[in-house]
Amino acid sequence: MDLRDPALYAPAGHGDAAVLLALRDPATGALAFPRTPYGIGASGTPAEAAEPVELSGRATLLVCVTVHQPLSPGMQVPLVVARLRLEEGLVIDGVLEGTEEPPPGSAMQAVLVMQGERRACRFRLVGGAA
Amino acid sequence: MSGLASMRPVRVVGIGMHPYQFPSETPYVHLGLTALRGALADAGLAWPDITFAAIGTGAIGMAAGRVMLRHLGSTGLEVVQVENASASGSSAFRTACLMVASGQHEIALALGVDKFGSAQRAANKDGVPRLTPEAEIPAVKFAMMARAWRDRFGLTREDLARVAVKNHGNAARNPYAQFRKPRTLEQVLAANPVAGDLTSLQCTPRGDGAAAAIVASEEAIRRHGLDRRRAVRVLSSVSSSEHQVADEGWSLVEMVQRSGLAALEAAGLGMAEIDIIELHDAFTIEEIVYAEALGLCPLGEGAAQLRAGQWDIGGGRCAVNPSGGLLGMGHPIGPTGIGQVTEIVRQLRGEAEGRHHPGARTALAHMIGLGSVAVGHVLQRD
């Protein structure tokens, strides 16, 4: 089954978990997600000097909200959008699976779920709410 | 960042507006020339007296200034176009101030004009894939900020809605505002839900409009015999963009705090001396968070200040968004930052009929723009 954004994530190899595709600066350890041809903004390192790495997809939920109106073409609502801190330290935004709003501090995992004909990345609550 | 302190004094000598309005068929030239003619009449200047024009616009397109200004006569003036997202007008005003302060010109125009509908975002062309484009929609981004403030400081839905009640109330008294209806707390809370705790009346409307400000040197004020009592001094002008912040910090808030402090320091003033703040309240949460970041009150106490009426016109020491802000007055992008300046000039002159903040002498105009950028100006009457 195709991925909707294969440049951003890949199957983790167990269940429907996903890894996120990032760049790492070997000198400083600085990370960039997503991978870009422009390098790592946190350290100014060009992409050629960075190494591709996979992030675990494990995250802690910082905050989330439900979007009630379709604010862009094709947006299906309700939709829960979250800010998450990845296990590796980066803070990113993601869409949650389902329509529940877990509390801050909840453990989340990136997973691949069917969206139309393709699999997209969503974040799923793991082990119950915080 | 020295602001204007080390340069020639600059004063706003003329202001003009075309009222902000819902998207319309009115050509932008009509909007812009209405504001410009108003500013010329307010200053008592003629068009050929202006030798520099900075045109702030986000959506009109290339050469908006020349296409518009030629209808007043082609005088050979220097014209530049300034696009800095929501801060386009603020940056145009800063450019005009710097042109006079540096001695390049004696009288300069900052004119913001925009039409809704055709702006393009560079972020959509950067070739970078996005995991969650939904989170970059401003209403979603600021709904998350509101939720984070709720989780951290106990901010309630009513606290957020009170910003809209205040600013729609101020706008109802502002003849240049897009929204002219006062709203109750119940109406704001019952409006269509958009994202998180934000309802439609807590989100800035889309619209058209124009605002103009003419700035001049002391020498020009003398030479043209302008009314110095109505000329409002621009004490400082600063501009910056986001820094990287650690962990889950809100870099936007850090930028507002840093740039606001820089504007005050460059003016040689503290927040205790500011009587009016016009700031970027495209969403209700922004007014609370930015007022705290700018130092109007301690972090987490903005909602209590608002509840106590401290930010109302005549309600406390410092009125916040007496124009109605972006929520009530409107946010047509190009004009917005200059519209803040026109409101402040009216307030400081004592000409804001029906909404005058008593005793106002010093004000801060603070604007942010997508990207993110921040622009701040401190103005003061003698």
Side-chain angles (χ1 to χ4, degrees):
Chain A
M1 209 73 72
D2 287 345
L3 298 176
R4 195 170 78 177
D5 298 295
L8 293 170
Y9 44 79
H14 51 91
D16 56 4
V19 293
L20 303 178
L21 307 180
L23 286 178
R24 181 178 173 276
D25 180 349
T28 66
L31 293 166
F33 173 78
R35 293 174 185 168
T36 83
Y38 314 124
I40 299 176
S43 60
T45 310
E48 307 82 69
E51 59 186 11
V53 293
E54 294 181 351
L55 306 179
S56 65
R58 289 188 287 275
T60 302
L61 187 139
L62 300 173
V63 65
C64 67
V65 295
T66 300
V67 182
H68 307 288
Q69 304 285 339
L71 299 172
S72 60
M75 182 189 284
Q76 300 290 315
V77 293
L79 178 79
V80 183
V81 178
R83 182 160 286 193
L84 305 130
R85 188 195 304 117
L86 298 176
E87 183 178 68
E88 294 82 359
L90 285 179
V91 174
I92 66 165
D93 295 321
V95 174
L96 303 192
E97 185 182 37
T99 56
E100 297 299 312
E101 293 183 359
S106 296
M108 312 295 292
Q109 171 66 52
V111 294
L112 298 173
V113 301
M114 289 305 296
Q115 291 285 307
E117 301 286 304
R118 294 184 291 178
R119 288 182 296 169
C121 180
R122 295 289 182 264
F123 284 84
R124 177 183 294 162
L125 181 65
V126 291
Chain B
M1 200 164 358
S2 63
L4 300 175
S6 60
M7 306 168 88
R8 296 199 304 172
V10 181
R11 289 176 185 272
V12 181
V13 296
I15 53 171
M17 292 283 301
H18 186 288
Y20 297 168
Q21 60 191 23
F22 287 94
S24 70
E25 296 300 314
T26 313
Y28 88 89
V29 174
H30 174 81
L31 303 174
L33 292 184
T34 300
L36 173 50
R37 288 187 166 115
L40 288 168
D42 182 59
L45 288 167
W47 172 234
D49 297 328
I50 311 284
T51 60
F52 173 83
I55 309 299
T57 184
I60 303 291
M62 283 194 288
R66 278 291 296 138
V67 169
M68 172 173 52
L69 298 175
R70 66 186 180 189
H71 295 288
L72 291 183
S74 294
T75 62
L77 84 167
E78 180 182 354
V79 182
V80 298
Q81 189 153 319
V82 180
E83 186 279 305
N84 211 6
S86 292
S88 296
S90 305
S91 292
F93 181 71
R94 172 172 159 78
T95 305
C97 289
L98 291 174
M99 283 294 178
V100 170
S102 64
Q104 292 288 307
H105 291 273
E106 296 299 320
I107 305 177
L109 165 71
L111 195 159
V113 61
D114 244 323
K115 298 284 295 176
F116 173 73
S118 53
Q120 295 187 32
R121 292 185 177 197
N124 296 335
K125 303 176 181 177
D126 65 359
V128 177
R130 282 167 170 77
L131 181 66
T132 317
E134 298 89 346
E136 297 185 17
I137 297 169
V140 177
K141 179 177 171 178
F142 289 108
M144 283 205 283
M145 178 186 277
R147 189 58 58 87
W149 253 248
R150 186 191 78 174
D151 293 342
R152 189 171 170 194
F153 300 111
L155 199 69
T156 66
R157 291 178 70 238
E158 288 75 15
D159 291 331
L160 286 175
R162 272 188 198 94
V163 176
V165 172
K166 173 178 71 67
N167 291 352
H168 281 278
N170 291 347
R173 296 186 267 170
N174 180 354
Y176 305 103
Q178 187 167 337
F179 278 135
R180 301 298 311 281
K181 263 189 208 170
R183 303 286 186 170
T184 65
L185 192 64
E186 293 71 25
Q187 287 172 323
V188 173
L189 288 169
N192 287 333
V194 176
D197 296 325
L198 298 178
T199 63
S200 57
L201 284 174
Q202 299 181 54
C203 306
T204 187
R206 295 161 168 174
D208 300 342
I214 298 171
V215 294
S217 66
E218 298 281 3
E219 168 59 23
I221 290 170
R222 270 193 299 276
R223 191 180 336 128
H224 290 272
L226 306 183
D227 185 351
R228 203 171 182 287
R229 290 167 306 175
R230 295 178 74 244
V232 172
R233 175 89 183 265
V234 185
L235 289 179
S236 70
S237 172
V238 302
S239 184
S240 59
S241 61
E242 275 175 290
H243 286 76
Q244 187 129 0
V245 298
D247 209 6
E248 67 262 37
W250 293 84
S251 55
L252 191 61
V253 179
E254 192 271 350
M255 177 188 73
V256 169
Q257 183 173 36
R258 189 185 288 258
S259 62
L261 186 62
L264 290 170
E265 280 181 356
L269 298 172
M271 183 50 75
E273 291 158 283
I274 298 296
D275 304 306
I276 288 174
I277 300 176
E278 286 281 328
L279 57 75
H280 186 282
D281 62 329
F283 301 92
T284 46
I285 182 62
E286 291 184 274
E287 179 168 304
I288 294 172
V289 171
Y290 301 160
E292 292 174 357
L294 291 168
L296 188 58
C297 65
L299 185 65
E301 292 186 14
Q305 293 253 320
L306 188 63
R307 272 197 300 274
Q310 290 295 304
W311 300 351
D312 292 353
I313 295 170
R317 184 185 50 76
C318 182
V320 181
N321 285 323
S323 68
L326 282 60
L327 285 169
M329 185 173 177
H331 182 29
I333 307 291
T336 309
I338 301 173
Q340 290 182 326
V341 170
T342 67
E343 173 67 13
I344 282 170
V345 169
R346 266 182 239 285
Q347 289 280 350
L348 300 187
R349 285 174 177 173
E351 297 174 356
E353 284 182 32
R355 63 183 192 286
H356 180 58
H357 186 58
R361 178 167 183 252
T362 309
L364 170 65
H366 192 274
M367 179 58 73
I368 65 164
L370 189 70
S372 297
V373 297
V375 184
H377 291 94
V378 175
L379 295 94
Q380 188 176 64
R381 69 170 163 80
D382 288 341

